Amino acid sequence: MAKDTQPAGELLTRSEEQVKEPEEYRVLLLNDDYTTMEFVVSVLMTVFHKSLPDATKIMLDVHKKGKGMVGVFSYDIAATKVSQVHQLARQNGFPLKCTMEKA
Ligand code: TYC
């Protein structure tokens, strides 16, 4: 039923199709041969608020496997974090790459 034809006094309900869950995005970190392990750990701690043990674990996982997931966020938060990682990496002369994909 169209919204503007809803009878007065009736509870406004939406069909399942109309209710959009907020879309989530995985943020991934990519390995490279030039970014230092220390820098990756510091990025994970500052941008993603990881503890030192968690940041170290994620960094080593990415180092070994080529890429790895850092977290799942709304589109805007994910895009901001990707951009923060790239900005920090550029400022420090590292080619570190970070991407996002629909979860
Ligand atoms: N492979 C890098 C090195 O040996 C470390 C590294 C880990 C770089 C994770 C990027 O996303 C990365 N110095």
Side-chain angles (χ1 to χ4, degrees):
M1 185 191 292
K3 262 189 263 171
D4 52 4
T5 61
Q6 191 88 26
E10 248 186 47
L11 250 191
L12 279 174
T13 55
R14 288 172 168 183
S15 75
E16 248 174 75
E17 283 151 52
Q18 285 173 307
V19 179
K20 285 230 174 74
E21 296 299 330
E23 288 178 338
E24 297 197 304
Y25 288 79
R26 284 188 280 269
V27 171
L28 307 166
L29 211 51
L30 306 185
N31 188 36
D32 68 74
D33 293 338
Y34 305 101
T35 307
T36 62
M37 292 184 170
E38 292 76 11
F39 182 75
V40 176
V41 169
S42 78
V43 163
L44 288 167
M45 292 177 72
T46 57
V47 177
F48 297 95
H49 310 293
K50 300 292 184 188
S51 65
L52 177 58
D54 283 355
T56 305
K57 216 172 138 191
I58 294 167
M59 180 279 295
L60 286 174
D61 194 55
V62 174
H63 174 69
K64 284 180 202 150
K65 296 179 184 162
K67 66 175 166 179
M69 207 199 48
V70 185
V72 178
F73 307 95
S74 67
Y75 180 90
D76 284 355
I77 303 283
T80 300
K81 290 194 185 289
V82 168
S83 147
Q84 285 172 336
V85 170
H86 289 158
Q87 195 176 333
L88 277 171
R90 241 181 289 127
Q91 279 168 3
N92 289 273
F94 291 123
L96 181 62
K97 278 200 178 149
C98 190
T99 59
M100 59 192 269
E101 65 182 27
K102 213 159 166 298

